[in-house]
């Protein structure tokens, strides 16, 4: 049997995993990231198309048609890249670069919704050769919604190619991990047939579709340019996550009515958000964002409440949801990123991946608990099975054990059926306690004398059986005589045994016939004893 599950050890491992993940993310984002000179933000203002008299302090997240007008200075001729910081989630854009003479030197376009091939993997960056001088940039942006505030910037091609590597590695690595974990939960759900695994797989699928679209993986690799994939799946993955919380924490109406009501309210709100987002596409991302906030608060509140009730699954999940709550809240509220090539979308992707990894540890805890319960059940079943096969009075194997034993006897084996003579006499004259003593003394003495060469069974009442692999009938009879002599010398002067033996080779294919033959021979001997002594105590 496996050693008892150590909850403190599991908690220590969980804390260690969370600590190492935090260190890894910190190193990845701040130490490993390129430390070259920062690109140059292009100074300018955003406007609503046809309303260029009133600049916007910030673009509305519900999208629209916008134009950016700015100026830039190029100190040295060379190859440059124009890209956006903060976010990559917008449908279409077009850059128009003019020199100091108002001559157009470059027309560049792209976006998730366009079929244009991105010259830089997973990026909206567009390459342009510029001579030293002053330039104006006019960027038109058309998008149904935004995640954060896009801000055009200019970078040298060489630096840009190096700087985008970290973000691309994060995107590919995290998406790959989510895809693997999603497949794992799908298989787990099919095997265990539990809704909780399927719901989490749907949650991961929604995030894969959203992040894969927003970070240009689908458009660059698979040629999928449907912009609404960057928000539409989240409307439903939010709902799936609520069902996941309900299943993971075993929230039932009869046990947790308050939490159950919270679950119902959250589901109603999220369904309304989904309908609103589908009917008003400009609000799709906002509904998805608010939905994330709702399920984060629900998961956190539920885990805190159940943790106070000493629910161990809730306590381990609390670590995962706190991490997710912090990272997720930063993501859905962030509008600007300090890094030029790390987007808000990267923050969200890292948040989901870290939560999925921490939840895998919660799942391992549940598996450990299930394994412990299985071991306990098997141990209990083993004890029950052993108890079923043992005679309670004598401690000998019983008739059930005998039926199993005779099935594996070789051809040389034998079965001896015994009847303890005059047991009824002792029961009637001295009481059943004295009769039980005769049974126990006989059992212990004969079992000791057989000493492993054969196995003694009690079939019930005054009936016993001996199985022997080598068919030692003469030796067994000698041991019986010695046992009877000892009983007669120690308070049971009238004790005796009638025995009959049959051999497996007499009927190899039918052990029950062999046992019946032994039984008949025993009764023949018993009748012979009765006739020889003319006694009535059998």
């Amino acid at each position: 049997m496996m050693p008892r599950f150590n909850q403190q050890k599991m908690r220590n491992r969980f804390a260690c995993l969370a600590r190492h993940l935090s260190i890894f993310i910190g190193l990845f984002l701040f130490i490993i990231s390129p430390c070259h000179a920062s690109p140059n933000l292009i100074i300018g203002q955003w406007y609503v198309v046809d309303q260029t008299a009133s600049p916007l302090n910030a673009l509305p997240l519900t999208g629209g048609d916008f134009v950016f007008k700015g100026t830039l200075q190029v100190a040295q001729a060379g190859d440059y890249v124009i890209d956006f910081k903060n976010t990559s989630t917008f449908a279409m854009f077009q850059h128009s670069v003019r020199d100091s003479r108002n001559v157009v030197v470059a027309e560049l376009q792209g976006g998730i919704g366009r079929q244009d091939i991105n010259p830089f993997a997973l990026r909206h960056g567009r390459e342009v050769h510029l001579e030293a001088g002053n330039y104006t940039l006019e960027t038109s942006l058309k998008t149904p919604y935004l995640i954060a505030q896009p801000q055009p910037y200019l970078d040298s091609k060489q630096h840009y190619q190096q700087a985008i590597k970290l973000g691309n590695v994060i995107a590919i690595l995290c998406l790959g991990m989510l895809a693997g974990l999603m497949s794992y939960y799908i298989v787990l759900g099919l095997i265990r047939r539990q809704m909780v695994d399927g719901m989490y797989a749907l949650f991961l699928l929604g995030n894969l579709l959203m992040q894969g679209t927003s970070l240009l993986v689908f458009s660059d690799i698979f040629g999928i340019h449907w912009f609404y994939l960057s928000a539409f799946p989240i409307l439903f993955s939010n709902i799936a996550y609520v069902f996941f919380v309900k299943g993971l924490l075993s929230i039932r109406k009869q046990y947790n009515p308050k939490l159950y009501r919270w679950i119902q309210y959250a589901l109603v709100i999220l369904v309304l958000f989904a309908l609103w987002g589908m009917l008003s596409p400009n609000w799709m991302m906002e509904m998805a964002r608010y939905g994330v906030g709702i399920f984060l608060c629900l998961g956190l509140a539920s885990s805190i409440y159940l943790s106070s009730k000493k629910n161990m699954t809730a306590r381990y999940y609390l670590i995962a949801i706190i991490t997710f709550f912090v990272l997720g809240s930063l993501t859905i509220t962030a509008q600007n990123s300090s890094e030029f090539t790390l987007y808000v979308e990267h923050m969200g992707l890292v948040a989901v991946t870290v939560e999925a990894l921490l939840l895998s540890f919660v799942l391992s805890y549940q598996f450990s608990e299930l394994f412990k319960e299985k071991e306990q059940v098997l141990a209990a079943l083993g004890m029950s099975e052993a108890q079923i096969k043992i005679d309670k009075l004598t401690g000998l194997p019983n008739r059930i054990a005998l039926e199993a034993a005779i099935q594996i006897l070789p051809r040389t084996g034998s079965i001896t059926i015994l009847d303890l003579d005059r047991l009824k006499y002792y029961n009637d004259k001295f009481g059943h306690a004295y009769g039980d003593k005769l049974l126990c003394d006989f059992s212990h003495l004969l079992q000791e004398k057989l000493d492993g060469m054969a196995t003694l069974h009690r079939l019930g009442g005054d009936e016993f059986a001996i199985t022997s692999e080598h068919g030692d009938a003469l030796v067994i009879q000698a041991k019986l005589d010695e046992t009877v002599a000892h009983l007669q010398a120690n308070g049971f002067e009238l004790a005796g045994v009638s025995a009959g033996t049959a051999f497996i080779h007499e009927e190899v294919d039918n052990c029950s016939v062999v046992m019946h033959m032994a039984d008949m021979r025993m009764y023949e001997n018993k009748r012979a004893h009765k006739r020889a002594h003319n006694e009535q105590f059998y």
Side-chain angles (χ1 to χ4, degrees):
M1 182 175 173
M2 294 295 292
R4 178 173 174 81
F5 175 76
N6 191 320
Q7 292 182 348
Q8 183 60 43
K9 191 174 183 180
M10 177 64 77
R11 282 194 290 269
N12 291 340
R13 288 179 178 177
F14 206 133
C16 182
L17 177 62
R19 185 167 57 251
H20 280 81
L21 280 172
S22 301
I23 294 172
F24 171 76
I25 294 170
L27 288 172
F28 205 58
L29 294 180
F30 299 107
I31 298 178
I32 304 176
S33 59
C35 298
H36 305 292
S38 298
N40 296 316
L41 278 175
I42 300 174
I43 305 302
Q45 291 285 343
W46 283 103
Y47 303 87
V48 176
V49 172
D50 299 329
Q51 297 181 25
T52 55
S54 302
L56 298 172
N57 293 324
L59 296 183
L61 298 181
T62 50
D65 290 350
F66 310 103
V67 62
F68 176 85
K69 294 184 178 182
T71 60
L72 59 141
Q73 292 182 335
V74 176
Q76 183 178 355
D79 293 327
Y80 292 88
V81 176
I82 300 176
D83 199 356
F84 298 88
K85 74 183 294 285
N86 301 329
T87 180
S88 60
T89 306
F90 36 79
M92 300 178 184
F93 69 86
Q94 180 171 327
H95 299 303
S96 179
V97 183
R98 299 173 181 269
D99 61 17
S100 57
R101 296 172 296 174
N102 204 31
V103 176
V104 176
V105 297
E107 290 280 357
L108 311 166
Q109 61 183 20
I112 296 174
R114 289 188 182 273
Q115 301 293 326
D116 304 78
I117 297 175
N118 291 323
F120 301 97
L122 314 185
R123 297 287 162 168
H124 289 304
R126 293 298 184 264
E127 184 178 355
V128 59
H129 181 82
L130 298 175
E131 299 293 335
N134 296 324
Y135 295 87
T136 59
L137 172 69
E138 184 174 301
T139 298
S140 60
L141 183 70
K142 184 175 183 179
T143 186
Y145 50 75
L146 291 164
I147 287 181
Q149 298 295 316
Q151 181 67 44
Y153 72 91
L154 183 72
D155 196 3
S156 68
K157 181 180 177 181
Q158 182 178 6
H159 177 263
Y160 182 81
Q161 288 175 318
Q162 179 64 28
I164 63 175
K165 289 180 180 179
L166 176 60
N168 290 355
V169 168
I170 291 175
I172 297 299
L173 180 63
C174 290
L175 288 173
M177 293 173 68
L178 290 183
L181 288 169
M182 182 191 71
S183 302
Y184 172 73
Y185 279 102
I186 289 174
V187 173
L188 197 62
L190 293 174
I191 293 174
R192 298 204 303 172
R193 296 184 179 181
Q194 293 188 7
M195 182 183 72
V196 60
D197 302 314
M199 290 298 102
Y200 198 67
L202 286 177
F203 170 73
L204 294 179
L205 175 61
N207 280 273
L208 273 172
L209 294 174
M210 181 265 190
Q211 299 291 358
T213 302
S214 294
L215 293 170
L216 312 181
V217 175
F218 290 167
S219 57
D220 277 8
I221 298 176
F222 304 110
I224 300 174
H225 295 273
W226 190 41
F227 177 74
Y228 291 105
L229 272 180
S230 60
F232 182 77
I234 299 299
L235 296 174
F236 298 95
S237 71
N238 291 343
I239 297 173
Y241 195 90
V242 173
F243 279 110
F244 163 72
V245 171
K246 179 177 178 289
L248 179 71
L249 301 181
S250 300
I251 298 174
R252 302 290 183 269
K253 185 176 182 179
Q254 59 270 37
Y255 304 126
N256 306 106
K258 183 182 295 184
L259 289 184
Y260 189 83
R261 284 197 300 272
W262 292 358
I263 294 286
Q264 300 303 309
Y265 295 153
L267 288 174
V268 170
I269 294 172
L270 291 176
V271 169
L272 292 175
F273 282 179
L275 292 174
W276 190 350
M278 289 187 292
L279 294 175
S280 301
N282 292 91
W283 283 88
M284 189 177 293
M285 180 59 74
E286 289 301 279
M287 296 300 101
R289 192 194 311 269
Y290 297 152
V292 170
I294 286 176
F295 81 65
L296 285 175
C297 292
L298 177 68
L300 184 62
S302 299
S303 60
I304 291 174
Y305 177 79
L306 292 176
S307 293
S308 67
K309 303 296 182 181
K310 298 184 179 180
N311 184 317
M312 291 307 300
T313 298
R315 290 183 178 182
Y316 291 126
Y317 171 65
L318 181 59
I319 299 175
I321 192 60
I322 286 176
T323 306
F324 194 23
F325 185 87
V326 172
L327 296 177
S329 298
L330 290 175
T331 300
I332 62 177
T333 57
Q335 292 298 297
N336 294 283
S337 172
S338 59
E339 292 286 334
F340 280 80
T341 55
L342 290 179
Y343 302 138
V344 171
E345 290 85 343
H346 289 115
M347 294 171 55
L349 182 57
V350 169
V352 174
T353 305
V354 170
E355 197 251 3
L357 290 173
L358 290 174
L359 274 177
S360 67
F361 204 73
V362 177
L363 193 65
S364 71
Y365 161 74
Q366 289 186 318
F367 284 162
S368 297
E369 287 292 286
L370 288 174
F371 182 76
K372 182 177 70 175
E373 291 175 7
K374 184 200 75 171
E375 290 293 309
Q376 292 173 344
V377 170
L378 289 177
L381 288 175
M383 292 176 60
S384 299
E385 184 178 359
Q387 291 170 350
I388 288 171
K389 293 182 178 181
I390 296 297
D391 177 63
K392 292 183 179 180
L393 177 63
T394 64
L396 294 175
N398 59 16
R399 183 182 293 273
I400 297 174
L402 173 65
E403 291 174 353
I406 62 177
Q407 299 297 324
I408 59 175
L409 283 176
R411 288 177 60 91
T412 57
S414 66
I415 303 172
T416 301
I417 301 297
L418 311 176
D419 190 273
L420 188 58
D421 299 337
R422 303 179 185 89
L423 175 64
K424 185 176 184 301
Y425 166 77
Y426 285 106
N427 280 332
D428 292 345
K429 188 170 183 178
F430 301 103
H432 284 278
Y434 200 71
D436 288 346
K437 185 177 185 306
L438 171 60
L439 289 169
C440 291
D441 288 356
F442 171 75
S443 301
H444 298 156
L445 284 168
L446 182 55
Q447 188 177 34
E448 183 179 324
K449 291 182 179 298
L450 292 173
D451 193 26
M453 61 164 287
T455 303
L456 179 63
H457 300 75
R458 186 189 178 204
L459 306 185
D462 56 4
E463 281 194 296
F464 293 81
I466 298 174
T467 56
S468 171
E469 293 186 357
H470 304 293
D472 303 316
L474 295 177
V475 177
I476 290 172
Q477 185 60 52
K479 301 296 183 183
L480 284 171
D481 293 341
E482 293 175 11
T483 302
V484 170
H486 189 282
L487 290 172
Q488 291 174 348
N490 290 275
F492 298 100
E493 294 83 358
L494 300 178
V497 174
S498 298
T501 299
F503 298 90
I504 297 298
H505 63 74
E506 295 183 77
E507 189 67 50
V508 176
D509 297 326
N510 197 331
C511 292
S512 61
V513 172
V514 177
M515 189 170 173
H516 179 69
M517 292 167 61
D519 197 47
M520 295 303 295
R521 291 168 185 172
M522 181 272 294
Y523 277 111
E524 289 177 8
N525 290 332
K526 190 175 183 70
R527 284 191 292 269
H529 289 166
K530 185 176 181 180
R531 287 192 300 270
H533 296 89
N534 192 26
E535 296 179 2
Q536 304 299 319
F537 307 123
Y538 283 79

